[in-house]
Coordinates of all heavy atoms in Angstrom, one line a residue:
M1 N 9.4 -29.0 106.6 CA 9.8 -29.3 105.2 C 11.3 -28.8 105.1 O 11.7 -27.8 105.6 CB 8.9 -28.5 104.3 CG 9.2 -28.8 102.8 SD 8.0 -28.1 101.7 CE 6.5 -28.9 102.2
R2 N 12.1 -29.6 104.4 CA 13.5 -29.3 104.1 C 13.6 -28.8 102.7 O 13.3 -29.4 101.7 CB 14.3 -30.6 104.3 CG 14.3 -31.0 105.8 CD 15.0 -32.3 105.9 NE 16.3 -32.2 105.2 CZ 17.4 -32.5 105.6 NH1 17.5 -33.1 106.8 NH2 18.5 -32.4 104.9
I3 N 14.1 -27.5 102.6 CA 14.2 -26.8 101.3 C 15.6 -26.4 101.0 O 16.4 -26.1 101.9 CB 13.3 -25.5 101.5 CG1 11.9 -25.9 101.8 CG2 13.4 -24.7 100.2 CD1 11.0 -24.7 102.2
V4 N 16.0 -26.5 99.8 CA 17.3 -26.0 99.3 C 17.1 -24.9 98.3 O 16.2 -25.1 97.4 CB 18.2 -27.1 98.9 CG1 17.7 -27.8 97.6 CG2 19.6 -26.6 98.7
F5 N 17.9 -23.8 98.4 CA 17.9 -22.8 97.4 C 18.9 -23.1 96.3 O 20.1 -23.2 96.7 CB 18.1 -21.4 98.0 CG 17.0 -20.9 98.8 CD1 17.2 -19.7 99.5 CD2 15.8 -21.4 98.8 CE1 16.2 -19.1 100.2 CE2 14.7 -20.9 99.6 CZ 14.9 -19.7 100.3
D6 N 18.6 -23.0 95.1 CA 19.6 -23.1 94.0 C 20.4 -21.9 94.1 O 20.0 -20.9 94.7 CB 18.9 -23.2 92.6 CG 19.7 -23.7 91.5 OD1 21.0 -23.9 91.7 OD2 19.2 -23.8 90.4
K7 N 21.6 -21.9 93.4 CA 22.5 -20.8 93.6 C 22.0 -19.5 93.0 O 22.5 -18.4 93.3 CB 23.9 -21.2 92.9 CG 23.8 -21.6 91.5 CD 25.1 -22.1 91.0 CE 24.9 -22.7 89.6 NZ 25.3 -24.0 89.5
N8 N 20.9 -19.5 92.2 CA 20.4 -18.3 91.6 C 19.3 -17.7 92.4 O 18.7 -16.7 91.9 CB 20.0 -18.6 90.1 CG 19.0 -19.8 90.1 OD1 18.4 -20.2 91.1 ND2 18.8 -20.3 88.9
V9 N 19.0 -18.2 93.5 CA 17.9 -17.6 94.4 C 18.5 -16.7 95.5 O 19.4 -17.1 96.2 CB 17.1 -18.8 95.0 CG1 16.0 -18.3 96.0 CG2 16.5 -19.7 94.0
P10 N 18.0 -15.5 95.6 CA 18.5 -14.6 96.6 C 18.3 -15.2 98.0 O 17.2 -15.7 98.4 CB 17.6 -13.3 96.4 CG 17.1 -13.4 95.1 CD 16.9 -14.9 94.8
V11 N 19.3 -15.2 98.8 CA 19.3 -15.7 100.2 C 18.2 -15.0 101.0 O 17.7 -15.6 101.9 CB 20.7 -15.7 100.8 CG1 20.6 -16.3 102.2 CG2 21.7 -16.4 100.0
G12 N 17.9 -13.8 100.8 CA 16.9 -13.0 101.5 C 15.5 -13.7 101.5 O 14.8 -13.4 102.4
V13 N 15.2 -14.5 100.5 CA 13.9 -15.1 100.5 C 13.8 -16.1 101.7 O 12.6 -16.4 102.1 CB 13.8 -15.9 99.1 CG1 12.5 -16.7 99.1 CG2 13.9 -15.0 98.0
R14 N 14.9 -16.5 102.2 CA 14.9 -17.4 103.4 C 14.0 -16.9 104.5 O 13.4 -17.7 105.2 CB 16.3 -17.6 103.8 CG 16.5 -18.5 105.0 CD 17.9 -18.6 105.4 NE 18.4 -19.9 105.4 CZ 19.6 -20.3 105.4 NH1 20.6 -19.5 105.2 NH2 19.9 -21.6 105.5
C15 N 14.0 -15.6 104.7 CA 13.3 -15.0 105.9 C 11.7 -15.3 105.8 O 11.0 -15.1 106.8 CB 13.6 -13.5 106.0 SG 13.0 -12.5 104.7
F16 N 11.2 -15.6 104.6 CA 9.8 -15.9 104.5 C 9.5 -17.3 104.8 O 8.3 -17.7 104.7 CB 9.4 -15.5 103.0 CG 9.5 -14.1 102.7 CD1 10.5 -13.6 101.9 CD2 8.6 -13.2 103.2 CE1 10.7 -12.3 101.6 CE2 8.7 -11.8 102.9 CZ 9.7 -11.4 102.2
L17 N 10.5 -18.2 105.0 CA 10.3 -19.6 105.2 C 10.7 -20.0 106.6 O 11.3 -21.1 106.8 CB 11.0 -20.4 104.1 CG 10.6 -20.0 102.7 CD1 11.5 -20.6 101.7 CD2 9.2 -20.5 102.5
T18 N 10.4 -19.2 107.6 CA 11.0 -19.5 109.0 C 10.5 -20.8 109.6 O 11.2 -21.3 110.5 CB 10.7 -18.3 109.9 OG1 9.3 -18.1 109.9 CG2 11.4 -17.0 109.4
K19 N 9.4 -21.3 109.1 CA 8.9 -22.6 109.7 C 9.5 -23.8 109.1 O 9.1 -24.9 109.4 CB 7.4 -22.6 109.6 CG 6.7 -21.5 110.5 CD 5.2 -21.6 110.4 CE 4.7 -20.4 111.2 NZ 3.2 -20.5 111.3
H20 N 10.4 -23.6 108.2 CA 11.0 -24.7 107.5 C 12.6 -24.7 107.6 O 13.1 -23.7 108.0 CB 10.7 -24.6 106.0 CG 9.2 -24.6 105.7 ND1 8.4 -25.7 105.8 CD2 8.4 -23.5 105.4 CE1 7.2 -25.3 105.6 NE2 7.1 -24.0 105.3
E21 N 13.2 -25.9 107.4 CA 14.6 -25.9 107.3 C 15.1 -25.5 105.9 O 14.7 -26.1 105.0 CB 15.1 -27.3 107.6 CG 15.0 -27.8 109.0 CD 15.6 -29.2 109.1 OE1 16.8 -29.4 109.3 OE2 14.8 -30.2 109.0
V22 N 15.8 -24.4 105.8 CA 16.2 -23.9 104.5 C 17.8 -24.0 104.5 O 18.5 -23.5 105.4 CB 15.8 -22.5 104.3 CG1 16.2 -22.0 103.0 CG2 14.2 -22.4 104.4
F23 N 18.2 -24.5 103.3 CA 19.7 -24.6 103.1 C 20.0 -23.9 101.8 O 19.1 -23.9 100.9 CB 20.1 -26.1 103.0 CG 19.7 -26.9 104.1 CD1 18.5 -27.6 104.2 CD2 20.5 -27.0 105.3 CE1 18.1 -28.4 105.2 CE2 20.1 -27.8 106.4 CZ 18.9 -28.5 106.3
T24 N 21.2 -23.4 101.7 CA 21.6 -22.9 100.4 C 22.5 -23.8 99.7 O 23.0 -24.8 100.3 CB 22.4 -21.5 100.6 OG1 23.6 -21.8 101.3 CG2 21.5 -20.5 101.3
F25 N 22.7 -23.6 98.4 CA 23.6 -24.4 97.6 C 25.0 -24.4 98.2 O 25.6 -25.5 98.3 CB 23.7 -23.7 96.2 CG 24.2 -24.6 95.1 CD1 23.3 -25.3 94.3 CD2 25.5 -24.6 94.8 CE1 23.7 -26.1 93.3 CE2 26.0 -25.4 93.7 CZ 25.1 -26.1 93.0
V26 N 25.5 -23.3 98.7 CA 26.8 -23.2 99.3 C 26.8 -24.0 100.6 O 27.8 -24.7 100.9 CB 27.2 -21.7 99.6 CG1 28.4 -21.6 100.4 CG2 27.3 -20.9 98.3
E27 N 25.8 -23.9 101.4 CA 25.8 -24.6 102.7 C 25.8 -26.1 102.5 O 26.4 -26.9 103.3 CB 24.5 -24.3 103.5 CG 24.5 -22.9 104.1 CD 23.2 -22.5 104.7 OE1 22.2 -23.1 104.4 OE2 23.2 -21.5 105.4
M28 N 25.3 -26.6 101.4 CA 25.3 -28.0 101.0 C 26.6 -28.4 100.5 O 26.9 -29.6 100.3 CB 24.2 -28.3 100.0 CG 22.8 -28.1 100.5 SD 22.4 -29.0 102.0 CE 22.3 -30.7 101.4
K29 N 27.5 -27.4 100.2 CA 28.9 -27.7 99.7 C 28.8 -28.5 98.4 O 29.7 -29.3 98.1 CB 29.7 -28.4 100.7 CG 29.9 -27.6 102.0 CD 30.8 -28.3 103.0 CE 31.2 -27.3 104.1 NZ 30.5 -27.3 105.3
W30 N 27.9 -28.1 97.5 CA 27.8 -28.7 96.2 C 28.7 -27.9 95.3 O 28.9 -26.7 95.4 CB 26.4 -28.7 95.7 CG 25.5 -29.7 96.5 CD1 25.9 -30.8 97.1 CD2 24.1 -29.6 96.6 NE1 24.8 -31.5 97.6 CE2 23.7 -30.7 97.4 CE3 23.1 -28.7 96.3 CZ2 22.4 -31.0 97.7 CZ3 21.8 -28.9 96.6 CH2 21.4 -30.1 97.3
H31 N 29.2 -28.6 94.3 CA 30.1 -28.0 93.3 C 29.3 -26.9 92.5 O 28.2 -27.1 92.1 CB 30.6 -29.1 92.3 CG 31.6 -28.6 91.4 ND1 31.4 -27.9 90.3 CD2 33.0 -28.7 91.5 CE1 32.5 -27.6 89.7 NE2 33.5 -28.1 90.4
P32 N 29.9 -25.7 92.3 CA 29.2 -24.6 91.7 C 28.8 -24.9 90.3 O 27.9 -24.2 89.8 CB 30.2 -23.4 91.8 CG 31.5 -24.0 92.3 CD 31.2 -25.4 92.8
Q33 N 29.4 -25.8 89.6 CA 29.1 -26.1 88.2 C 28.1 -27.3 88.1 O 28.0 -27.8 87.0 CB 30.3 -26.3 87.4 CG 31.3 -25.1 87.4 CD 30.6 -23.9 86.8 OE1 29.9 -24.0 85.8 NE2 30.9 -22.8 87.4
L34 N 27.5 -27.7 89.1 CA 26.5 -28.8 89.1 C 25.4 -28.5 88.1 O 24.7 -27.5 88.2 CB 26.0 -29.0 90.5 CG 25.5 -30.4 90.9 CD1 26.6 -31.4 90.8 CD2 25.0 -30.3 92.4
E35 N 25.2 -29.4 87.2 CA 24.2 -29.3 86.2 C 22.8 -29.7 86.8 O 22.8 -30.4 87.8 CB 24.5 -30.2 84.9 CG 25.7 -29.7 84.2 CD 25.6 -28.4 83.5 OE1 24.5 -28.0 83.1 OE2 26.7 -27.7 83.4
N36 N 21.7 -29.3 86.1 CA 20.4 -29.5 86.7 C 20.1 -31.0 87.0 O 19.6 -31.3 88.0 CB 19.3 -29.0 85.7 CG 19.3 -27.5 85.7 OD1 19.7 -26.9 86.6 ND2 18.7 -27.0 84.6
G37 N 20.5 -31.9 86.1 CA 20.2 -33.3 86.4 C 21.0 -33.8 87.6 O 20.4 -34.5 88.4
E38 N 22.2 -33.5 87.7 CA 23.0 -33.8 88.9 C 22.5 -33.1 90.1 O 22.5 -33.7 91.2 CB 24.5 -33.6 88.7 CG 25.1 -34.4 87.6 CD 25.0 -35.9 87.9 OE1 25.3 -36.3 89.0 OE2 24.5 -36.7 87.0
L39 N 22.1 -31.9 90.0 CA 21.5 -31.2 91.1 C 20.3 -31.9 91.7 O 20.1 -32.0 92.9 CB 21.2 -29.7 90.7 CG 20.5 -28.9 91.7 CD1 21.3 -28.7 93.0 CD2 20.2 -27.5 91.2
L40 N 19.4 -32.3 90.8 CA 18.2 -33.0 91.2 C 18.5 -34.3 91.9 O 17.9 -34.6 93.0 CB 17.2 -33.2 90.0 CG 16.6 -32.0 89.4 CD1 15.9 -32.3 88.1 CD2 15.7 -31.3 90.4
K41 N 19.5 -35.0 91.4 CA 19.9 -36.2 92.1 C 20.5 -35.9 93.5 O 20.2 -36.6 94.4 CB 21.0 -36.9 91.3 CG 20.4 -37.6 90.0 CD 21.5 -38.2 89.2 CE 21.0 -38.7 87.9 NZ 22.0 -39.2 87.0
A42 N 21.3 -34.8 93.6 CA 21.9 -34.5 94.9 C 20.8 -34.1 95.9 O 20.9 -34.4 97.1 CB 22.9 -33.3 94.7
V43 N 19.8 -33.4 95.4 CA 18.7 -33.0 96.3 C 17.9 -34.2 96.8 O 17.7 -34.3 98.0 CB 17.7 -32.0 95.5 CG1 16.4 -31.8 96.3 CG2 18.3 -30.7 95.2
E44 N 17.7 -35.1 95.9 CA 17.0 -36.4 96.4 C 17.9 -37.2 97.3 O 17.4 -37.7 98.3 CB 16.6 -37.2 95.1 CG 15.5 -36.5 94.3 CD 15.3 -37.2 92.9 OE1 16.2 -37.9 92.4 OE2 14.3 -37.0 92.3
A45 N 19.2 -37.3 97.0 CA 20.1 -38.1 97.9 C 20.2 -37.5 99.3 O 20.4 -38.2 100.2 CB 21.4 -38.2 97.2
A46 N 20.1 -36.1 99.4 CA 20.2 -35.4 100.6 C 18.9 -35.5 101.4 O 18.8 -35.0 102.6 CB 20.6 -34.0 100.4
G47 N 17.9 -36.1 100.9 CA 16.6 -36.2 101.6 C 15.8 -34.9 101.7 O 15.0 -34.7 102.6
L48 N 16.1 -33.9 100.8 CA 15.4 -32.6 100.8 C 14.1 -32.8 100.1 O 13.9 -33.6 99.2 CB 16.3 -31.6 100.1 CG 17.6 -31.4 100.8 CD1 18.6 -30.6 99.9 CD2 17.4 -30.6 102.1
D49 N 13.1 -32.0 100.5 CA 11.8 -32.0 100.0 C 11.5 -31.1 98.8 O 10.7 -31.5 97.9 CB 10.7 -31.7 101.1 CG 10.9 -32.6 102.3 OD1 10.7 -33.8 102.1 OD2 11.1 -32.0 103.4
V50 N 12.2 -30.0 98.8 CA 11.9 -29.0 97.7 C 13.2 -28.3 97.3 O 14.1 -28.0 98.1 CB 10.9 -27.9 98.3 CG1 10.7 -26.8 97.3 CG2 9.6 -28.5 98.7
I51 N 13.3 -28.0 96.0 CA 14.3 -27.1 95.5 C 13.7 -25.9 95.0 O 12.7 -26.0 94.2 CB 15.2 -27.8 94.5 CG1 16.3 -26.8 94.0 CG2 14.4 -28.3 93.3 CD1 17.4 -27.4 93.1
V52 N 14.2 -24.7 95.4 CA 13.7 -23.4 94.9 C 14.7 -22.9 93.9 O 15.9 -22.8 94.2 CB 13.5 -22.4 96.0 CG1 13.0 -21.1 95.5 CG2 12.4 -23.0 97.0
T53 N 14.3 -22.7 92.7 CA 15.2 -22.2 91.6 C 14.5 -21.1 90.8 O 13.3 -21.1 90.7 CB 15.7 -23.4 90.7 OG1 16.6 -22.8 89.8 CG2 14.5 -24.0 90.0
S54 N 15.3 -20.3 90.2 CA 14.7 -19.3 89.3 C 15.0 -19.7 87.8 O 14.7 -19.0 86.9 CB 15.2 -17.9 89.6 OG 16.6 -17.9 89.3
D55 N 15.5 -20.9 87.7 CA 15.7 -21.5 86.3 C 14.4 -21.8 85.7 O 13.7 -22.8 86.0 CB 16.6 -22.7 86.4 CG 16.9 -23.3 85.1 OD1 16.3 -22.9 84.1 OD2 17.8 -24.2 85.0
Q56 N 14.0 -21.0 84.7 CA 12.7 -21.2 84.1 C 12.6 -22.3 83.1 O 11.6 -22.7 82.6 CB 12.2 -19.9 83.5 CG 12.0 -18.8 84.5 CD 11.5 -17.5 83.9 OE1 11.1 -17.4 82.8 NE2 11.6 -16.4 84.7
N57 N 13.8 -22.8 82.7 CA 13.8 -23.8 81.7 C 14.0 -25.2 82.2 O 14.0 -26.2 81.5 CB 15.0 -23.6 80.7 CG 14.7 -22.3 79.9 OD1 13.6 -22.1 79.4 ND2 15.7 -21.5 79.7
I58 N 14.1 -25.4 83.5 CA 14.4 -26.7 84.1 C 13.3 -27.7 83.7 O 13.6 -28.9 83.5 CB 14.6 -26.6 85.6 CG1 15.2 -27.9 86.1 CG2 13.3 -26.3 86.4 CD1 15.7 -27.9 87.5
R59 N 12.1 -27.3 83.7 CA 11.0 -28.2 83.3 C 11.1 -28.8 81.9 O 10.6 -29.8 81.6 CB 9.6 -27.6 83.6 CG 9.3 -26.4 82.7 CD 8.0 -25.9 83.1 NE 7.8 -24.6 82.3 CZ 6.7 -24.0 82.3 NH1 5.6 -24.4 83.0 NH2 6.5 -22.9 81.6
Y60 N 11.8 -28.0 81.0 CA 12.0 -28.5 79.6 C 13.2 -29.3 79.5 O 13.4 -30.1 78.6 CB 12.0 -27.3 78.7 CG 10.8 -26.4 78.8 CD1 10.9 -25.1 79.3 CD2 9.6 -26.8 78.3 CE1 9.8 -24.3 79.4 CE2 8.5 -26.0 78.4 CZ 8.6 -24.8 79.0 OH 7.4 -24.0 79.0
Q61 N 14.2 -29.1 80.4 CA 15.5 -29.8 80.4 C 15.5 -31.1 81.1 O 16.3 -31.9 80.8 CB 16.6 -28.8 80.9 CG 16.7 -27.6 80.2 CD 17.6 -26.5 80.9 OE1 17.8 -26.7 82.1 NE2 17.9 -25.4 80.3
Q62 N 14.6 -31.2 82.1 CA 14.6 -32.4 82.9 C 13.2 -33.0 83.0 O 12.2 -32.3 83.0 CB 15.0 -32.0 84.4 CG 16.4 -31.4 84.5 CD 17.5 -32.4 84.0 OE1 17.4 -33.6 84.4 NE2 18.4 -31.9 83.3
N63 N 13.1 -34.3 83.1 CA 11.9 -35.0 83.3 C 11.6 -35.0 84.8 O 12.2 -35.7 85.6 CB 11.9 -36.4 82.8 CG 10.6 -37.2 82.9 OD1 9.7 -36.6 83.5 ND2 10.6 -38.4 82.5
L64 N 10.6 -34.2 85.2 CA 10.3 -34.0 86.6 C 9.1 -34.9 87.1 O 8.8 -34.8 88.3 CB 9.9 -32.5 86.9 CG 11.0 -31.5 86.5 CD1 10.6 -30.1 86.7 CD2 12.3 -31.8 87.3
T65 N 8.6 -35.7 86.2 CA 7.6 -36.6 86.6 C 8.1 -37.6 87.6 O 9.2 -38.1 87.5 CB 7.1 -37.4 85.3 OG1 6.7 -36.5 84.3 CG2 5.9 -38.3 85.6
N66 N 7.3 -37.9 88.6 CA 7.6 -38.8 89.7 C 8.7 -38.3 90.6 O 9.3 -39.0 91.4 CB 8.0 -40.2 89.2 CG 6.9 -40.8 88.4 OD1 5.7 -40.7 88.8 ND2 7.2 -41.5 87.4
R67 N 9.0 -37.0 90.6 CA 10.0 -36.4 91.5 C 9.4 -35.5 92.5 O 8.4 -34.9 92.2 CB 11.1 -35.6 90.7 CG 12.0 -36.5 89.9 CD 13.2 -35.7 89.5 NE 14.3 -36.5 89.6 CZ 15.4 -36.4 88.8 NH1 15.4 -35.4 87.9 NH2 16.4 -37.2 88.9

């Protein structure tokens, strides 16, 4: 599974996912001010399977159905 950590996720969490490809926001070279909608589009365009975020409001701000 290909996983990306949003900028608000501690990089240390990566050690618990050793069987997966894990990328950080910085490693993807995404703009630091990327908004949630654009971030989701970037994740999909990069062919990533999962985004890990600590943003508790994303489900209210974005339509996640069919994603």
Side-chain angles (χ1 to χ4, degrees):
M1 187 172 298
R2 295 177 45 135
I3 302 168
V4 66
F5 286 173
D6 195 358
K7 58 188 170 231
N8 54 15
V9 176
V11 179
V13 175
R14 180 183 232 161
C15 68
F16 296 103
L17 302 168
T18 56
K19 295 183 181 182
H20 304 284
E21 286 182 86
V22 179
F23 306 93
T24 65
F25 199 90
V26 173
E27 290 170 342
M28 296 303 290
K29 297 182 169 99
W30 289 333
H31 191 279
Q33 298 301 319
L34 206 56
E35 296 293 328
N36 287 338
E38 293 302 313
L39 174 60
L40 291 173
K41 288 178 188 174
V43 168
E44 292 169 341
L48 298 164
D49 301 304
V50 174
I51 180 171
V52 177
T53 183
S54 63
D55 182 348
Q56 296 181 15
N57 293 318
I58 195 168
R59 65 183 174 173
Y60 303 112
Q61 299 165 349
Q62 300 296 317
N63 182 356
L64 302 176
T65 305
N66 299 323
R67 286 196 145 152

